[in-house]
Amino acid sequence: MTDHERDHDLVVYGATGFVGALVAAYLADHGPDGVRIALGGRSREKLEQLRGRLGVDWPLIVAAADDEIAMAKLAASAQVVATTVGPYLKHGRTLVRACAAAGTDYVDLTGEVAFHRQSIDDNEEMSRSTGARIVHSCGFDSIPSDLGVHVLHQLVRGDDAGQLTDTTLVVTSLRGGFSGGTIDSMRTQVDVLRADRDLRRVAASAYSLSPDRKAEPELGRQEDAVSMPGRAVDRSLSGHVGPFMMASYNSRVVRRSNALRGWAYGRSFRYREAQSTGTSPAAPIIAAGLKVGLGALLAGLSLPPTRFVLDRVLPKPGSGPDEKTRRNGHFTMDIFTTTTTGARYRSRFRAKGDPGYAATAVMLGESALALVLDRDKLPPSDGGVLTPATALGDVLVDRLRATGVEISAKKLA
């Protein structure tokens, strides 16, 4: 069901960027007939070139991300805006604010804690007053985490097996590449948090995205960078696990979903993420190396001398993995939990294609289409700054399954 009082059902903003072009191509191949899609960006020439490559006749919207008037017009013209223009801390605040004010549903790919927190503070009240669904993190950050816990909770609830307690996502397989945009987002977050002590303190909290920090349960420290035997997660998991670089963001999105649902997952719900380092004797050493390496990268981006070097060797904005790498990529994430009744469960989120690019294009595209076409099936909402699970829930689960993504859950013996 679409809103024909607006010019467009969906605007893909940042369509000429690396990920934006992948999203546009996905929608050109898989978007249903009749969905009125427009391409947005700051260069008409590049937009025209993209439209020609895609073989579509979609309208073009030329607008700069920092132009408040242009962003307001873009938002008012659409039922839904999907934006890939990052780093969102640099380039995203004007558009999301315009969508909140216009009552326009919004999806993005941010993995930036500081931006997400600022968006909550800036847009929660306005988006509730207009009914806009502001849905951050609709890609590899953080749909597998958020929907994986969502289906896990549903099965536990259906079995009347209590509530979730200790819950751990483990990346059990992963193949893909990095883009300059991902690295640029990391740089921006480091710069912003280094300059803003208050925001740095908020971002460090396990509940930095909570709607009400004072109402959250006191569960002690929740570690982001973990290293432990797999059996410490669940007795069915062999080998060793180490830090997963997206854990510090994804975990906060999942905790926000729990809070927005009135702590339906449980008041004693503890959530963390890790990745498998294998079963070889070297696995614990690899896990320790990941922990040291991740810390060294962040420290290197924070210090001018090493930042100078890293800026010259890391991928530049606008670059990304080639078509073969994107096609041959894949990932599997298993989420293990123990419930308050002592039962053990596992959910799985598995997809083909490079996680951050090919698979992300599918996830963002289907999130946007869910808002355009399935509004009467979505979870009840008065608008607000939501998460994929709370805004899209089962509708997105069904859509992604239809594309070949495995999203499953089962009770463990």
Side-chain angles (χ1 to χ4, degrees), residues 12-29 39-40 46 50-51 53-54 58 84 326 357 361 364:
V12 180
Y13 186 65
T16 61
F18 189 83
V19 181
L22 296 177
V23 175
Y26 177 79
L27 291 169
D29 290 340
L39 301 174
K46 290 182 178 180
L50 174 64
R51 183 170 62 179
R53 292 197 303 272
L54 297 178
W58 297 342
T84 63
R326 298 196 304 270
Y357 306 97
L364 184 64

Side-chain angles (χ1 to χ4, degrees), residues 169-174 228 230 237-244 273-280 283 286-287 290 332 334:
L169 178 147
V170 179
V171 182
T172 50
S173 73
L174 179 68
M228 65 185 72
L237 188 63
S238 59
H240 205 86
V241 301
F244 177 47
E273 296 190 346
Q275 68 179 54
S276 172
T277 57
T279 58
S280 73
I286 296 171
L290 286 173
T332 302
D334 290 330

Side-chain angles (χ1 to χ4, degrees), residues 283-405:
I285 300 172
I286 296 171
L290 286 173
K291 188 171 184 177
V292 172
L294 182 58
L297 175 59
L298 294 175
L301 290 172
S302 301
L303 301 172
T306 48
R307 172 72 168 265
F308 179 83
V309 175
L310 288 171
D311 282 348
R312 280 152 182 75
V313 299
L314 291 171
K316 300 294 187 292
S319 65
D322 60 23
E323 193 275 335
K324 182 179 179 181
T325 300
R326 298 196 304 270
R327 184 180 65 250
N328 292 335
H330 59 81
F331 69 92
T332 302
M333 293 176 162
D334 290 330
I335 306 178
F336 299 89
T337 196
T338 301
T339 74
T340 50
T341 64
R344 296 164 45 243
Y345 286 80
R346 189 208 72 197
S347 67
R348 172 166 289 174
F349 195 113
R350 176 159 50 193
K352 296 179 180 178
D354 181 284
Y357 306 97
T360 281
V362 175
M363 288 185 268
L364 184 64
E366 292 297 336
S367 296
L369 290 173
L371 289 167
V372 172
L373 298 171
D374 300 324
R375 297 177 67 82
D376 56 338
K377 302 176 185 176
L378 295 174
S381 174
D382 295 324
V385 181
L386 305 170
T387 61
T390 58
L392 305 170
D394 290 340
V395 170
L396 185 55
V397 170
D398 291 343
R399 280 189 161 275
L400 292 176
R401 283 172 174 162
T403 71
V405 176

Side-chain angles (χ1 to χ4, degrees), residues 203-262:
S205 167
Y207 297 106
S208 55
L209 302 182
S210 174
D212 185 356
R213 176 62 186 88
K214 293 181 179 179
E216 292 285 1
E218 295 297 338
L219 300 175
R221 185 179 182 185
Q222 298 190 59
E223 181 66 52
D224 289 325
V226 300
S227 177
M228 65 185 72
R231 63 180 178 274
V233 174
D234 187 87
R235 63 174 180 259
S236 67
L237 188 63
S238 59
H240 205 86
V241 301
F244 177 47
M245 68 177 299
M246 297 178 180
S248 62
Y249 182 72
N250 293 338
S251 61
R252 286 153 174 79
V253 171
V254 172
R255 293 181 194 120
R256 179 169 175 79
S257 291
N258 188 33
L260 289 175
R261 288 176 159 169

Side-chain angles (χ1 to χ4, degrees), residues 25 34 51 67 72 75 88 128 131 154 160 207 215 234 267 367 374:
R51 183 170 62 179
D67 185 332
Y88 292 90
R128 282 184 174 273
Q154 284 191 312
D160 196 23
Y207 297 106
D234 187 87
R267 295 288 297 181
S367 296
D374 300 324

Side-chain angles (χ1 to χ4, degrees), residues 6 75 78-79 98-105 126-127 130-133 375:
R6 300 201 177 193
Q79 179 185 347
C99 288
T104 301
D105 291 347
M126 176 63 75
S127 56
T130 63
R133 291 177 173 88
R375 297 177 67 82

